[in-house]
Amino acid sequence: MAGLDKRVSTYEEALAGLTDGMTVLAGGFGLCGIPENLIAEIRRRGVKGLTVVSNNCGVDGFGLGVLLEDRQIRKMIASYVGENALFEQQLLNGELEVELTPQGTLAEKMRAGGAGIPAFYTATGYGTPVAEGKEVREIDGRHYILEHAIRGDFAIVKGWKADHFGNVMYRHTAQNFNPLAATAGKITVVEVEEIVEPGELEPSQIHTPGIYVDRIIQGSFEKRIEKRTLRD
C-alpha cells in the first residue's frame, strides 16, 4: 500500500499477492476474533501448500477449518486441535504436518517476530517432546529451551474499529492473538466491523498502531459460537 489511507474495497484486493506456499499468521482464539471473511477469501483464491500459524484451526466447516476441507494447508503451527475433527483426522492420517506449540510459547513467538527478536529461551516444554532437537541452556540452575520467533508472509487479523491510517482497536477477548499476529506479518491485513474517520479513536484506545498495518477492509461477521452451553 502506498500513502496513509490503507482502506481497500474488496477482499480480493485485501489479499493481493498471496500465493502458494506462503506462511499466514491468523488471529483469534477458538472462534473468538477470527478474520472469517479473509479466511473465506483464501479459500476462494484456492492457494495451496500454506503454512498457517494460529492458536487452533477453527471448527469443521467454519474458520480455518474450511481451508482444511480443501487441502490448502500443508503445515499447521498451533497450540491445540480444539473442536475440529477434520484437523484431528488429517493429523493422525499423516496428511497434515502439525507443530504443536505451548500456547504461551506460540504467543511469544509471534510477539518476538514482530519485535525483531530472532529467538528466546523459555522453560516451557523442557523435558518433553516439545524440546526435542532444540538447544538447551541452564540459567540460574534452571533449564531452558531455545525457541525461534515466527514471522509470516501475511498476517490476517480481526479488529473492531480502525481509522483510515490503520490504527486498530479490538473488542474485549478478541485481543487474544490478533495484536501479536498484526505485528509479525510482512503484509498485515485487518478486517474490522467499522472504519472511522482519523481522530475519532482516542490514542489510549488504540491497540495496534497503523505502522504495523498495510490494508484495512470493513466487513460483516457471523460471529459463530464454538460451543454453546445452556443452563436451565
Side-chain angles (χ1 to χ4, degrees), residues 36-68:
E36 58 194 70
N37 299 301
L38 289 169
I39 293 168
E41 173 61 18
I42 293 175
R43 184 185 201 182
R44 190 199 66 80
R45 297 174 77 88
V47 290
K48 303 286 187 178
L50 298 175
T51 295
V52 176
V53 184
S54 185
N55 177 68
N56 57 289
C57 202
V59 296
D60 297 298
F62 192 69
L64 291 170
V66 301
L67 304 184
L68 290 177

Side-chain angles (χ1 to χ4, degrees), residues 145-203:
I145 59 176
L146 184 68
E147 294 281 6
H148 290 269
I150 291 176
R151 285 189 58 81
D153 299 295
F154 272 77
I156 56 173
V157 173
K158 163 64 168 60
W160 180 31
K161 295 181 181 181
D163 63 22
H164 302 182
F165 299 145
N167 298 304
V168 181
M169 290 175 59
Y170 306 101
R171 190 170 187 271
H172 301 320
T173 50
Q175 292 181 56
N176 43 53
F177 281 85
N178 280 301
L180 304 170
T183 66
K186 293 178 183 177
I187 298 175
T188 293
V189 186
V190 183
E191 59 173 335
V192 295
E193 298 176 36
E194 182 181 1
I195 297 177
V196 302
E197 293 295 323
E200 286 191 33
L201 301 180
E202 290 290 335

